[in-house]
Structures are given as C-alpha cells and as structure tokens.
Amino acid sequence: MTPVDANTRLKEIYGHPVGRDAIDKVLLQLGRSSLWVRNPVVANLRLSTVARLVRPILGEEFAPSLITVLADHNHHHEPDAASGGDPTPSGTPAAQPPWWRRAVFYQVYPRSFADSDGDGVGDLRGVTSRLDHLADLGVDCVWLSPIFDSPNEDMGYDVRDYRAVMSEMGTLADLDDLIAGAHERGMRIILDLVVNHTSAEHAWFRAAVADPDGPYGDYYHLQPGVPGEDGSGPPPNNWASFFGGSAWRWLPEAKRWALHLFAPGQMDLNWENPRVRAEVAEIVRWWRARGIDGFRLDVINYISKRPGLPDGNEAIGALMGFPGIEHYFFGPRLHEYLRELRATGFTRTAQDPRPPSTVRSRGADGTLGVPEPPDPVGVLVGETPGVGVEMSRLLSGARRRELDLVFNFDVLDGPGKVRWDDYRYDLGYLKGFYLDYLARLGPDDAIALFLDNHDNPRMLSKVLGTRDRDPVLRSAAAKALATIQLTLPGTPFLFQGQEIAAINQDFAAAAELKDVESVNRLAELRADGVAHEDALARVRPGARDHARVPMRWEPGPTTGFSTGTPWQVGREDSVGFTVAEQGADPGSVLSFHRDLIRLRRAEPALTDGGFRALLPRSREYFGWVRTAPGDGDDWLVEVNLTDRTIKRPRGLPAATGVLGSHGLARGPRMAPYECVVARVLIAG
Ligand code: GLC
Ligand code: MG
C-alpha cells in the first residue's frame, strides 16, 4: 500500500492491518465502539484532521507515531510470495491439519501444581505424579511455565541457564521422565521459552558486564551514560518497565545503562545481534532433541526494538500505561526474526536426532496407539501482549510461517477497563469479541482460546464478582465458560484450576502477595501516599497471585499440594471445589470439562466444523451451530451469559441436549449461566 502520511484518510489507515488494530485498541482503551470509525464522515477524514481533533486527548505526536509504526509493516501484510510451507512428515497428506488445531492445551504453573518432596514448592516429579489427572481430563498438550534455572526474581521468567532445571523443581532426569510420561499417555509437552530477556545472572550478561566492549556486550542493550554525569544523568530514553519505574538500570561496574522492560534483573536481549538469534535457535534444537514438542514464547512480540531506541510518545504511553511501547510491541524486524527462528530452531532437519520419545496417537474414543513420528516443526505458541486481531493474523497465518498460535489479550477486560480495575466483566463483551475475531479469520488463520493464565485474576471471579462464593452460580458460570472455550472454533488453553472452578483469593495482607509486580505496585502506591488498605484494594483485583496459589487437589489446609508448608497460600477453602471432591461427582465442573473434551474428540464438528452464530446481537444469549465437515452431526451450543433467568429465543434449530449444566431439557427459559450442547436433528 502507499505510504501513510498526514493526508492519508482514516479509512485507508483502517484498511492497513496494523492501523486497524491500533485504532481499535485506542477506541477500546477509551471505552468507545469501533463502529465510530466506520461512519463515512469519520472514515473520510484525513489523518491531519483526525490528529487535530484528538490532540486534546492524544497529544501532538500521536499521528507521527502512528505513521512510523505503520511504515514498519507496510510490506509485511502482503501475501507471502515464497512458495511452499512447513515440511510434512512423510506419508502424511499435506491437507491434514496440524495436531494443535484440534488439541486442548493445559497450562501448568509448576511451582503451584504439586510438590513431591515436601519443601513447599511444586516440582517436576509432582507434575509427573498428576499426569493421570490431565490424561483423564483429555488434555492433548501440557505447557509448563518456566522450570529452567533461575534466581526467580520473576518466578522463572528470568532464566539463568536455558539448559538446566531450577534446583527446587528437580533435575534434567526428572524432566526426561515427565516428557516420557506425558508422551506415553498421549500428551505432548511444551515449555516456556523466555528469550526477550535473560536473568542478570545469566553467563552472557555477566560476561557483558565484565567486558561491555567484548563479544557479549552486544548481546544486550547496553548504553553509555551521559558524559560527565557518571550515570546519575537521565537514562537513555523514557521507556518504562512493566514492573514500575524506568526500563533502564545503571551498571556501575560496566559504566553502562542496561535495558530491562520487566524487573531490573530481566535484561533485554539484543535480537539485532545475529549471534543472539543463533543462540536461541540452538536452545530450541537442544530441547527438541530431548523430546520437547514446542514452546510457548514469552512476550515474543517485544523482541524487535526500533533501532536507536527513541523516546516513546507520552500520550501513547499514558494511554497504554507504558511509554515506549510503540517502539517494540510490534517492532520493525519481528516477522523476520520469527521466520528465522521457526526455520532454524523449530524445524527438524534430516540430521536431527530422533527424540527419545514421541507422543502416542490417541483415537477418537481416547484409546492409545503407537508413538507418532517426530513433528516436522515444533509448535510455536506466542504470548503477544497488545496485538490485535489483524496483527495476530500476521503473526500466525499458516502461510506466513512465523508462529502457530498467539494469545490476544483483548478478551480479558471489558472496554475502558484494565486488569487492576474492580468491576464485573460482561460476558456480552466476550461474545462480541469472539464473533468479531472469528468473522475476520481466513482459512489460513488459527485462534487460541484462553480465559485464565498465571498473569491474570480468574475470569470466573471477574464475571461473578463477590458472588463467586455462591456454589451454584460458581458451578454454572464455570461450565458456561468451559462450554465457550471448548466448543467455539479454535484451540483452547486451559489453565490449572479452571477445571475445578478456581476463583480469586481475598488476600487480606500485603505479605500474602508474593509476585514482584504486586509487591512493586503496592510499594509505589504507598510511596505516593495511598493508605495501606486502599493500596491493597487497588492491587488485589489485578494481582497475578490469584492464579498462583496451590492447586486444590483435596480438602485440608495444604490442599493435597504439599506435605510441607506451601510457598504461597490460598485463602479460598469452599467445600466441594477440589479435584478429589469434584472427581467423585458426575455433575461437577470437573466432570463437565471431561465430558466436553470427550465429546470434542468424538465429534469432528466441534473441532474442524464450521461456525454460525445465532442472534449475534443479543447480549444475554450466546448461541451457535457447529456444522460437521463430513457426514457427522451438526451441534447447537447455547449459553445464558447472565446471572438472570432469560427466555430461550424462538426459532432455533431443533436439537436434543447431550451435555448441559442444568439438565438436558431445552425449555422456554434458561437458568442463570445455563449452557447446553445439543445434537441438531436433521429435519425430515
Ligand atoms: C510474560 C509472562 C509473565 C512475565 C513476563 C516477563 O508476560 O507471562 O509472567 O512476568 O512475561 O517475562
Ligand atoms: Mg518440591
């Protein structure tokens, strides 16, 4: 497309994938509808006019910043000219969709999953001891949050050694057992690859500090201090750390500033350096040879920073909360780096050793078969904070050969809301989000469906607010969320605890919050003079700690997680919401997840099928049909999105309930959060 400048009309900017996402993002953040841009009068405005209109809100520099970011990606959105694609295993028809399209992923936060040795910290043997739970649930792929050697300033998201297991989690041999155990049960296993940054204790960084002009100095973003001021002067730019304060730290030993977008011990790697990229590819190959089936790539959209690391626009910084973000959240060389990493790290070559084990196949009825050949390409799941739908497509469209799946975080909070806000999430927004997302996907695109992870409070609690303690509503809403996640088109990612309707904790004291982000945020609020109770109330709703409390395996003070003193304690102890209790109850949330996943496996419509929304505009009723790809049955799925009894709409396809939160009858009304999965009856 022609380069964007001040004369470009808004509709043309909106026609550019990055422009569209940027505009949608701003509108979402301001709590406005994107319909606004489609108004013909608005759509025809030139950027210079828009810039004048939004100046009071977004400042002088908004338009020039937008022009710069769009210019980075002017060519990247054109269809990939290169022919071919990933290699397919011999004997597999190329048309066969990759395994992860039909898979259910399950994220384990190992520190809080199961502790085998009583030291209070979850570990690898603990995970192995619970693999049967995951296999029974029907999980296809387990993702482990970081387990590599780390000083744990950010719980493993600060890696000291990419080829070693952190001591409290076990040994490499334990990991080999876990990989084999997963494969044996028909489950793949992926790890977290945290390569936007390393720990400051990584050997590369230590070498860089010791000799900033030596070969490792260029592995990181090191910058000299302001002359004569010995680093007491201003940092190289105004970028902010996600965990508070400046993104720069002065290294007195090296007389350099070092960039850290996260904690001061998480040093950003310089991906401009080809040696850094080669090291990362080597790490991936090393783990693939050990049997790891792929990676979730941590904040992978941040790896390409704009050369020169210019100051961030203050208005964008204020709007998004982090000055500088437009210079790295979708940087100029991102696509190039991802393609290279996929080709050189994730793609098997003929010389690559066969891993010690590969996953056993699993039939539609769950029966295990023989081990499959190694995957030609390890799966790449990108954690991509801030990207919108069009950017997601640019990163994960199959023919682009970058990532396979990405997480789009816009589903997690309603318009104008951020994670820290205390509010009740409206599932009507979630419906609109997915309908829009699904409508924009082409045959080449994939979508990851997730509602919870280790960085967010529980969606169930956001939906229910304080009513999450009501066992009836809690079960119903958890089943509704499961139904949405497991039967919409896409690849679901469950996070540990979702299957037992885990909810938020009412952390009563600051000391109960352990996460670096919560701790820093509390300290900042206190330093700003906010009273202790108020500060806690402003951190609690968004704290990542909610997701990091020990898994509730059974009733009792340590919830079957550990025989020792757990490193972190949950405050939620409702009767009936542990794996043991739920496993024994066929009507439980856990059983419902298991039944849904079983149905998914057996019914091609639910994975490969088409999708048709019913009553797309209703904010209380979410209904859709999954149409069978072959001669199988079509399925109707219905969810009451509210905590009220609603009327079931008329004129729906005739269908018989097969799974339901409130029984299988489909009467004139739907109970609060009621959901039903029903087989469509063929007329005639
Ligand atoms: C990702 C991780 C988060 C971590 C951050 C820095 O967002 O999910 O837990 O703090 O990256 O690595
Ligand atoms: Mg332990």
Side-chain angles (χ1 to χ4, degrees):
M1 84 182 259
T2 43
V4 173
D5 61 27
N7 287 319
T8 310
R9 293 184 193 275
L10 201 54
K11 62 180 174 200
E12 291 159 40
I13 296 178
Y14 207 62
H16 184 300
V18 179
R20 175 161 185 181
D21 280 357
I23 292 171
D24 282 351
K25 186 73 160 191
V26 170
L27 292 171
L28 181 66
Q29 214 77 5
L30 296 173
R32 307 265 157 80
S33 155
S34 62
L35 287 178
W36 185 84
V37 199
R38 313 223 181 126
N39 170 317
V41 177
V42 177
N44 277 311
L45 294 177
R46 293 185 191 280
L47 185 53
S48 51
T49 316
V50 179
R52 220 170 32 244
L53 295 175
V54 299
R55 191 172 301 154
I57 326 173
L58 298 176
E60 282 300 327
E61 284 300 308
F62 180 72
S65 301
L66 187 62
I67 291 172
T68 314
V69 176
L70 262 62
D72 289 341
H73 298 277
N74 242 347
H75 303 292
H76 289 294
H77 69 283
E78 277 143 27
D80 187 3
S83 59
D86 291 328
T88 41
S90 48
T92 314
Q96 184 78 4
W99 65 269
W100 47 262
R101 280 212 172 242
R102 294 174 178 150
V104 174
F105 284 69
Y106 183 103
Q107 180 190 357
V108 168
Y109 194 70
R111 182 165 293 267
S112 306
F113 196 60
D115 171 26
S116 70
D117 59 2
D119 68 349
V121 176
D123 45 48
L124 296 177
R125 286 166 180 249
V127 180
T128 305
S129 75
R130 297 292 186 176
L131 282 176
D132 284 334
H133 167 69
L134 303 181
D136 286 350
L137 187 58
V139 167
D140 299 290
C141 183
V142 183
W143 149 30
L144 299 185
S145 270
I147 53 156
F148 298 157
D149 176 44
S150 163
N152 285 315
E153 187 169 339
D154 185 20
M155 292 310 177
Y157 285 94
D158 46 332
V159 177
R160 184 164 49 202
D161 182 347
Y162 290 97
R163 292 178 178 82
V165 170
M166 69 169 88
S167 52
E168 62 270 48
M169 298 252 174
T171 63
L172 274 177
D174 294 335
L175 185 54
D176 291 340
D177 289 346
L178 171 51
I179 297 170
H183 286 162
E184 189 57 31
R185 289 169 177 81
M187 298 185 287
R188 285 181 173 80
I189 177 164
I190 66 173
L191 301 179
D192 224 303
L193 187 67
V194 186
V195 287
N196 171 69
H197 42 266
T198 72
S199 162
E201 295 184 20
H202 194 288
W204 302 335
F205 192 72
R206 283 191 275 118
V209 172
D211 180 9
D213 298 314
Y216 287 97
D218 207 27
Y219 270 46
Y220 295 90
H221 293 282
L222 301 185
Q223 301 266 317
V226 173
E229 292 191 39
D230 199 19
S232 53
N237 68 26
N238 68 351
W239 296 9
S241 154
F242 290 101
F243 294 156
S246 166
W248 293 92
R249 166 157 84 94
W250 178 250
L251 306 169
E253 325 85 289
K255 301 209 169 26
R256 295 286 193 284
W257 290 95
L259 178 69
H260 62 90
L261 292 180
F262 293 89
Q266 291 172 295
M267 317 318 304
D268 279 64
L269 282 166
N270 174 19
W271 278 67
E272 295 276 324
N273 182 348
R275 296 183 54 182
V276 166
R277 306 201 298 273
E279 299 261 22
V280 172
E282 263 314 302
I283 293 166
V284 171
R285 304 191 77 75
W286 194 84
W287 282 106
R288 291 267 288 139
R290 257 194 132 86
I292 287 300
D293 297 294
F295 284 93
R296 174 262 192 191
L297 298 100
D298 189 65
V299 292
I300 199 64
N301 56 317
Y302 293 177
I303 56 179
S304 165
K305 278 99 181 163
R306 188 179 312 290
L309 313 181
D311 272 335
N313 173 328
E314 294 290 350
I316 296 180
L319 188 71
M320 300 297 161
F322 303 100
I325 197 154
E326 71 274 23
H327 295 310
Y328 59 77
F329 92 105
F330 206 62
R333 298 181 67 188
L334 177 59
H335 300 299
E336 173 196 337
Y337 294 162
L338 292 176
R339 284 177 194 191
E340 182 185 295
L341 180 59
R342 183 183 189 92
T344 59
F346 283 78
T347 305
R348 275 180 68 79
T349 66
Q351 293 81 49
D352 283 341
R354 209 190 150 91
S357 69
T358 57
V359 70
R360 275 172 184 269
S361 66
R362 222 168 3 162
D365 62 354
T367 49
L368 291 169
V370 296
E372 296 190 358
D375 296 327
V377 185
V379 68
L380 294 95
V381 179
E383 189 219 12
T384 50
V387 309
V389 172
E390 299 306 322
M391 296 182 192
S392 300
R393 298 179 60 207
L394 290 178
L395 293 170
S396 61
R399 254 178 310 204
R400 297 183 52 84
R401 275 167 287 131
E402 297 178 23
L403 302 168
D404 293 314
L405 289 160
V406 296
F407 297 127
N408 181 320
F409 289 90
D410 288 341
V411 67
L412 294 184
D413 287 292
K417 299 293 184 194
V418 295
R419 168 152 62 92
W420 304 105
D421 293 330
D422 198 358
Y423 71 104
R424 278 189 67 178
Y425 180 95
D426 174 6
L427 285 174
Y429 167 74
L430 176 141
K431 169 178 172 178
F433 172 85
Y434 280 128
L435 288 188
D436 172 61
Y437 199 155
L438 290 170
R440 285 156 71 182
L441 297 183
D444 220 32
D445 295 315
I447 172 170
L449 305 164
F450 79 105
L451 302 172
D452 281 16
N453 67 15
H454 66 293
D455 291 332
N456 282 279
R458 296 286 183 175
M459 179 57 90
L460 186 53
S461 293
K462 283 204 274 196
V463 168
L464 292 175
T466 50
R467 303 183 76 187
D468 64 357
R469 288 339 193 239
D470 171 338
V472 174
L473 275 183
R474 177 177 178 179
S475 295
K479 291 175 184 175
L481 293 177
T483 301
I484 292 170
Q485 227 191 324
L486 292 163
T487 72
L488 278 183
T491 303
F493 283 74
L494 296 172
F495 176 63
Q496 69 183 47
Q498 270 185 277
E499 75 275 37
I500 51 168
I503 53 177
N504 284 353
Q505 315 296 312
D506 35 41
F507 296 116
E512 294 175 14
L513 299 173
K514 302 271 196 293
D515 175 36
V516 57
E517 186 194 38
S518 310
V519 169
N520 290 358
R521 193 173 164 88
L522 259 180
E524 264 178 24
L525 288 166
R526 296 286 286 128
D528 288 350
V530 178
H532 180 80
E533 276 309 308
D534 294 347
L536 194 56
R538 284 167 61 178
V539 174
R540 197 192 290 113
R544 308 197 295 183
D545 307 74
H546 292 293
R548 301 179 179 192
V549 300
M551 179 76 177
R552 303 190 65 219
W553 296 102
E554 48 193 62
T558 60
T559 67
F561 162 70
S562 175
T563 54
T565 310
W567 72 278
Q568 163 72 305
V569 187
R571 291 180 61 89
E572 195 272 310
D573 57 0
S574 345
V575 173
F577 289 90
T578 63
V579 173
E581 292 160 293
Q582 299 240 322
D585 171 5
S588 69
V589 172
L590 175 57
S591 300
F592 194 79
H593 276 82
R594 196 177 288 154
D595 295 346
L596 265 177
I597 295 175
R598 199 169 290 158
L599 192 64
R600 236 183 101 87
R601 188 183 296 286
E603 294 293 331
L606 295 177
T607 46
D608 306 349
F611 171 81
R612 186 173 85 244
L614 307 165
L615 290 101
R617 270 189 291 277
S618 168
R619 289 192 70 87
E620 53 181 29
Y621 173 87
F622 192 8
W624 62 93
V625 173
R626 297 298 310 271
T627 49
D631 355 298
D633 294 319
D634 291 354
W635 289 80
L636 167 70
V637 183
E638 304 182 272
V639 181
N640 174 355
L641 298 176
T642 74
D643 58 5
R644 291 167 281 112
T645 299
I646 61 166
K647 282 204 190 114
R648 178 174 258 113
R650 290 166 196 264
L652 301 171
T656 1
V658 168
L659 255 179
S661 56
H662 293 69
L664 303 178
R666 297 180 49 251
R669 272 176 289 278
M670 293 182 79
Y673 298 111
E674 177 169 355
C675 52
V676 188
V677 183
R679 193 186 299 272
V680 174
L681 301 171
I682 313 290

